[in-house]
Amino acid sequence: MAASGDKVSVIICAYSDDRREQLHRAIASVLAQRSKPTEVIVVIDHNTPLWLDVFAAYPRLTVIVNEGARGLSGARNTGLRRASGDILAFLDDDAIADPYWLARMLPHYDNPSVIGVGGRVLPLWQVDRPRWFPEEFQWVVGCSYRGQPDRIEPVRNPIGCNMSFRRSVFDLTGGFREGIGRTAADAAGCEETELCIRATQAMPGALILYDPQMSVHHQVTAERAGWRYFRKRCLAEGRSKTQVVKAVGAQDGLASEHRYVMRVLPAGILRALGDSVLKLDPWALARAGGIVFGLGYTVWGYFGARLNRAWRQA
């Protein structure tokens, strides 16, 4: 129970047969919380065999099917409509929550200005971490990245793998915008970004906090550790940002990205160049190149999507 006495619903969305074992680990981590949730809701996204398996394995949990559009946004909206909690916490099906995840999260809601809380997402590599993979781009695999706060601070939006909101956020905004979130066929995202911007635009003075001690581990498969996925995810992120900008405007939609591009990435390149000289690290130049190419692919995805939309409209 939250310190304020609020009820807490944890929502986990899943779609893939290949991630059944990971889903069971995610559920187990929630059931092992030191601060117990009021309910755990598992939403299965258009996969009847998976729903039957999870429904049979967890008779005391609420296991339901996605009643909305296929994809993460529709599944999350289905979960929040079923939830009875005052605080709704979201955990990915391939994440493992720290035992004190909820205990660390909930006291922040004693501040009435706080409408959302997110935390650190640590990569749990299933293979050796690629030495060329820059920490500045760990968002590619759904994890916290260099440039995020190292203490409790307000942020524009948390990472979707580890986030929570007051129910009033969804009452006001109507939920996650479908058509932006990830599907099995597309690595796009940003549905939580768009939601958070709409919420803070509608609620002046509202705060969304990032607490690095509120942590989960996110499992990173061998496929996601490769260059092909890196490129695909960067392109998809750029495309997603065009939808966010269309929905909420460029000023709010790209404010955090401006700081990231102008400060975090140049610092990362300089750090890598320094490591190549001072530490004689042969992979440092590859990490610098990863930053440059990652930015290039993301920008390419963004402007390519804008040009494609303009062409269709013309």
Side-chain angles (χ1 to χ4, degrees):
M1 230 21 118
S4 58
D6 290 333
K7 295 192 297 181
V8 182
S9 300
V10 175
I11 299 172
I12 304 173
C13 301
Y15 71 95
S16 175
D17 291 307
D18 296 335
R19 285 157 57 160
R20 290 193 187 201
E21 183 177 347
Q22 296 174 333
L23 173 60
H24 291 307
R25 291 177 184 172
I27 294 172
S29 74
V30 174
L31 297 178
Q33 290 295 299
R34 298 297 186 267
S35 179
K36 301 298 182 182
T38 304
E39 61 185 351
V40 180
I41 300 173
V42 183
V43 186
I44 306 300
D45 186 15
H46 298 273
N47 186 331
T48 301
L50 180 60
W51 174 77
L52 290 172
D53 175 71
V54 180
F55 184 83
Y58 300 98
R60 295 186 179 183
L61 303 187
T62 302
V63 183
I64 58 178
V65 298
N66 179 10
E67 299 171 347
R70 182 184 297 272
L72 188 52
S73 291
R76 284 173 171 166
N77 286 337
T78 297
L80 67 90
R81 284 193 293 267
R82 179 65 68 92
S84 63
D86 306 295
I87 306 297
L88 308 183
F90 296 86
L91 182 72
D92 276 9
D93 63 334
D94 54 353
I96 301 171
D98 179 85
Y100 293 91
W101 178 55
L102 292 180
R104 183 73 192 186
M105 171 200 303
L106 299 176
H108 292 300
Y109 286 105
D110 287 339
N111 181 347
S113 296
V114 173
I115 62 169
V117 183
R120 190 184 301 276
V121 182
L122 303 168
L124 192 61
W125 299 92
Q126 303 301 294
V127 295
D128 289 340
R129 178 194 177 96
R131 298 182 67 183
W132 58 265
F133 204 113
E135 290 186 13
E136 290 79 6
F137 273 80
Q138 283 191 168
W139 55 263
V140 165
V141 292
C143 295
S144 296
Y145 52 91
R146 187 186 292 271
Q148 287 191 293
D150 56 7
R151 57 186 179 183
I152 299 173
E153 286 187 13
V155 293
R156 182 188 66 183
N157 62 275
I159 294 177
C161 174
N162 178 8
M163 63 181 182
S164 65
F165 300 97
R166 294 188 189 274
R167 171 170 289 281
S168 58
V169 170
F170 302 106
D171 293 338
L172 182 65
T173 64
F176 296 93
R177 189 182 296 275
E178 297 183 6
I180 293 182
R182 181 170 301 192
T183 66
D186 193 350
C190 293
E191 70 279 1
E192 65 273 0
T193 301
E194 192 272 346
L195 170 77
C196 289
I197 294 173
R198 277 193 291 126
T200 52
Q201 286 177 340
M203 306 168 71
L207 297 175
I208 298 174
L209 296 182
Y210 176 83
D211 184 345
Q213 294 189 43
M214 184 189 123
S215 62
V216 306
H217 286 83
H218 195 193
Q219 301 181 73
V220 182
T221 61
E223 181 247 338
R224 292 191 175 188
W227 179 259
R228 173 180 288 186
Y229 184 82
F230 183 89
R231 175 180 177 275
K232 174 184 176 182
R233 183 68 185 85
C234 289
L235 288 168
E237 183 74 6
R239 293 196 306 271
S240 298
K241 284 295 188 295
T242 64
Q243 297 176 310
V244 172
V245 167
K246 181 180 179 182
V248 301
Q251 182 173 351
D252 289 336
L254 296 177
S256 294
E257 286 72 17
H258 183 268
R259 174 188 173 276
Y260 175 75
V261 170
M262 300 303 294
R263 297 185 183 181
V264 176
L265 296 188
I269 293 173
L270 291 176
R271 186 180 303 106
L273 294 177
D275 288 346
S276 70
V277 175
L278 300 177
K279 298 182 180 180
L280 301 179
D281 183 352
W283 287 96
L285 292 180
R287 290 194 294 275
I291 293 174
V292 173
F293 281 102
L295 175 60
Y297 286 134
T298 306
V299 172
W300 181 8
Y302 177 79
F303 283 106
R306 291 194 62 179
L307 288 172
N308 186 50
R309 181 179 291 115
W311 175 261
R312 291 200 308 268
Q313 290 175 346

